[in-house]
Amino acid sequence: MVQQTREQWGTRAGFLMAAIGSAVGLGNIWRFPYVAYDNGGGAFLLPYLIALLSAGIPLLILEYTIGHRYRSSAPLSYRRVKRPAEAIGWWQVAICFVIAVYYAVIVAWAVRYTWFSVGRQWGDDPDGFFNAEFLQVAEEPGMISGYVSGVAWPLIGVWVVVLLVLGLGVRNGIEKATKVFIPVLVVLFLVMVVQALTLDGAVEGLNALFTPDWSAMLDGGVWIAAYGQIFFSLSIGFAIMVTYASYLRRKADLTGTAITAAFANSSFELLAGIGVFAALGFMATTAGTSVDTVVADGIGLAFVAFPQIISSLPVGGTLFGVLFFLSLTIAGLTSLISIVQVIVSAVQDRARLGRVQSVALVGGATALASILLFPTHEGLYILDAFDHFINQYGIALAGLVLIIVFGWVLRRLPYFQRHANEVSLVRLGTWWRVALGVITPLLLGFMMFDSLRVELTQNYEGYPDTFLLLTGWGVALGAIAFGIVMALLPWKRADRIAEYDAREESGENEQDAEERR
């Protein structure tokens, strides 16, 4: 059976480090500070905390529990709950494939910018350097017209590292790598934050971030933003935590580990906010303007605003730049490893291949797609469309469907609650089922409705219809189609395992009934 041969984490700390490494990614550093600033500053922390407790941690516990109970990849685990649910697992595998192919190139950018920080090689125009000289972005989106070697070779290097770590296995590869990467990441970022706090204008930046706008609490959009940030930052909704938890030992504190990982992730987000806005405060002071004129989100913050900050530093600019971009690189690598592992695990279970064979097949295909698409003149446009549509109509939608199917249709939450309580120190109460069965699906459903309403009124970023159909809607709908097709294919071994599960659960139910009598 799967349970007898599956790899295991060496220690609970190793699993915890890997889970934190997956959650702490690029979005923590460049997304949270902007979202907090744009949604009430200090006041945003209250809905953020409520979202963490009412949706983030409960959904994290659910994914841990499914993975630990069935000790399988996401498609096989869901199939063992109910056969049609397998489609959700393969849908999430496809989502991970799409994310991996573009996520790797952002890590590759961070690698190059770590080097560019030495001597501040972007010159006096970081924006022009990033788009025109480094990425050599085409004037408009379209078919691939040429390749950029300066992006291709670091991208190949990123994939070599990722596949090497995955090829070494769960214990000797992922666990050992994250035990090194996460402490190094924390130390690097702490040094950078301390340096940022000593800059002129740091206080103005922190005031801009943390000054509470209590009126924002009455805005429903702020609460939706808080739940969205929690959902996207914890690596929930695309099967990573189901996969990682499947390698746990029989005795595992699922709820305690989930709570620890969630608060560690949020603590890093808060630390990132302090460092980023202290630096933005310095940038605003140097330019003689206000913080709101220099605030940027996403790629613009990391690869345009921060180089401007580094260039403005009278001393220590090189160190500050190296620390920042090396932190981005490490955070990106740990997340990318976890994303690709979801695909590797699914292929291992489905095709009965060994670890090295699966990594070579899955990693080779994913790396090839990444290298063909993104070190190109049109790569930035493709990345933007992939990221927007697979996040909005992949991760969030798959998470919503997962909760509705397991919570409302199959009514399995009480069963998963019982399993989590059997192995955990912190017991789950009624609040867990209410949070997952009511709060989370209603809010996610509203997020989907609101996002679709905006999406259908205007083209994302004004991109051409054909381009969006191929790289946006085509990718998001293609992932769903892939999940359905894979679930329709016969899988005799999975059927045998499901029959075994049914007998086992029937025995448990009979035992429960006897105890009640």
Side-chain angles (χ1 to χ4, degrees), residues 384-403:
D384 188 30
F386 271 28
D387 180 62
H388 175 74
F389 280 87
I390 207 66
N391 273 286
Q392 294 295 329
Y393 311 110
I395 298 174
L397 184 58
L400 174 62
V401 172
L402 179 72
I403 295 170

Side-chain angles (χ1 to χ4, degrees), residues 315-355:
V315 293
T318 295
L319 175 61
F320 189 82
V322 169
L323 289 173
F324 178 75
F325 287 110
L326 193 55
S327 297
L328 276 184
T329 300
I330 294 174
L333 279 173
T334 55
S335 294
L336 180 59
I337 288 168
S338 68
I339 293 167
V340 181
Q341 176 56 30
V342 173
I343 318 171
V344 170
S345 176
V347 170
Q348 279 187 285
D349 279 354
R350 188 67 172 83
R352 300 300 299 273
L353 295 176
R355 157 70 55 173

Side-chain angles (χ1 to χ4, degrees), residues 3-162:
Q3 297 94 317
Q4 297 173 334
T5 59
R6 197 161 186 80
E7 297 174 85
Q8 290 187 339
W9 301 105
T11 62
R12 177 175 176 264
F15 165 68
L16 183 59
M17 284 290 187
I20 293 172
S22 175
V24 174
L26 300 173
N28 296 67
I29 298 173
W30 70 36
R31 190 176 191 270
F32 172 79
Y34 179 85
V35 171
Y37 168 79
D38 202 39
N39 289 278
F44 177 77
L45 297 180
L46 179 58
Y48 175 85
L49 179 62
I50 293 173
L52 176 67
L53 297 175
S54 65
I57 292 176
L59 188 50
L60 197 59
I61 293 172
L62 174 64
E63 294 201 354
Y64 280 5
T65 304
I66 293 172
H68 182 260
R69 168 62 184 88
Y70 295 108
R71 301 177 62 76
S72 308
S73 63
L76 182 54
S77 292
Y78 299 164
R79 185 183 177 108
R80 293 170 67 176
V81 178
K82 199 72 173 179
R83 179 170 180 173
E86 180 191 347
I88 303 173
W90 288 113
W91 179 15
Q92 292 176 324
V93 169
I95 289 169
C96 286
F97 175 83
V98 174
I99 294 173
V101 296
Y102 74 77
Y103 200 89
V105 79
I106 305 176
V107 181
W109 297 347
V111 171
R112 287 302 307 277
Y113 266 72
T114 303
W115 167 247
F116 290 155
S117 297
V118 180
R120 307 171 190 182
Q121 298 173 39
W122 44 74
D124 298 328
D125 183 12
D127 191 5
F129 176 84
F130 177 66
N131 288 288
E133 294 186 42
F134 177 51
L135 296 185
Q136 300 174 28
V137 179
E139 293 185 3
E140 58 184 19
M143 300 296 291
I144 293 173
S145 60
Y147 286 84
V148 183
S149 61
V151 177
W153 68 259
L155 178 59
I156 293 171
V158 166
W159 278 112
V160 169
V161 172
V162 169

